[in-house]
Every structure is written in C-alpha cells, then in structure tokens.
C-alpha cells in the first residue's frame, strides 16, 4: 500500500514586481522566462510541484540563487506566493 501524501505542492510561483498576479492570469500560468522579463518582473520560483509522502525525507537542493529559500518561505507563508496550491494532509 502506498504511503499517504502529507504535503502536496502544485504550481508554486513567486514573481516580484508590479501586479504579478494579473500577469499570471493573462498568461494562463505558463509564461516563458522571456515573457516574465518583458513584463519587468523577476521570477524567483517557477511552477514548483512536488509531493511528500508519510515517512519520506525530502530535500530541496539546487544551485545558489535558484529560489530554494524563496520556495520554503512561500510554503511557510513568510512570503506570500504569487500563485500556489498547497495541500497539507489532503486539505
């Protein structure tokens, strides 16, 4: 039997700049890096998605400056994500 999903994160975005929510709404949540730059926005996290199952050890690892800390801050709501769907224990 598969382990229960304890945390699911779907399509987390964090954009910095003027009206990033409006920008994502007009780009169907799939803008290219060129679209983001042309709008004068800075993309810190782009469409991050993952699931963590009960009993798993989960690591976020990437190059310096790639958005790891921003992602964790968005998940903990220290920063408000631009777009996100996060489920804890299925809700």
């Amino acid at each position: 039997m598969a382990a229960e999903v304890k945390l699911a994160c779907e399509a987390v975005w964090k954009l910095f700049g003027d009206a990033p929510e409006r920008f994502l709404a007009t780009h169907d949540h799939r803008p290219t890096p060129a679209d983001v730059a042309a709008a004068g926005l800075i993309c810190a996290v782009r469409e991050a998605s993952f699931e963590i199952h009960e009993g798993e050890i989960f690591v976020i690892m990437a190059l310096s400056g790639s958005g790891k800390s921003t992602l964790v801050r968005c998940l903990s709501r220290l920063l408000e994500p631009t777009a996100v769907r996060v489920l804890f224990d299925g809700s």
Side-chain angles (χ1 to χ4, degrees):
M1 184 163 108
E4 179 183 349
V5 175
K6 298 306 273 183
L7 172 65
C9 180
E10 299 173 4
V12 174
W13 283 83
K14 180 58 181 170
L15 299 173
F16 292 97
D18 293 330
E21 294 87 359
R22 185 174 20 184
F23 170 79
L24 283 179
T26 62
H27 285 81
D28 195 30
H29 295 296
R30 296 214 179 256
T32 66
D35 294 333
V36 173
L41 300 170
I42 297 171
C43 185
V45 178
R46 182 174 186 247
E47 212 169 2
S49 299
F50 55 85
E51 288 183 347
I52 304 172
H53 295 86
E54 186 171 356
E56 283 185 329
I57 296 173
F58 187 82
V59 176
I60 299 172
M61 182 172 34
L63 296 173
S64 179
S66 63
K68 301 175 302 290
S69 295
T70 302
L71 174 61
V72 171
R73 288 182 181 117
C74 287
L75 294 174
S76 64
R77 296 297 215 227
L78 292 173
L79 282 176
E80 198 58 35
T82 307
V84 66
R85 183 164 183 238
V86 178
L87 302 172
F88 293 99
D89 281 332
S91 59

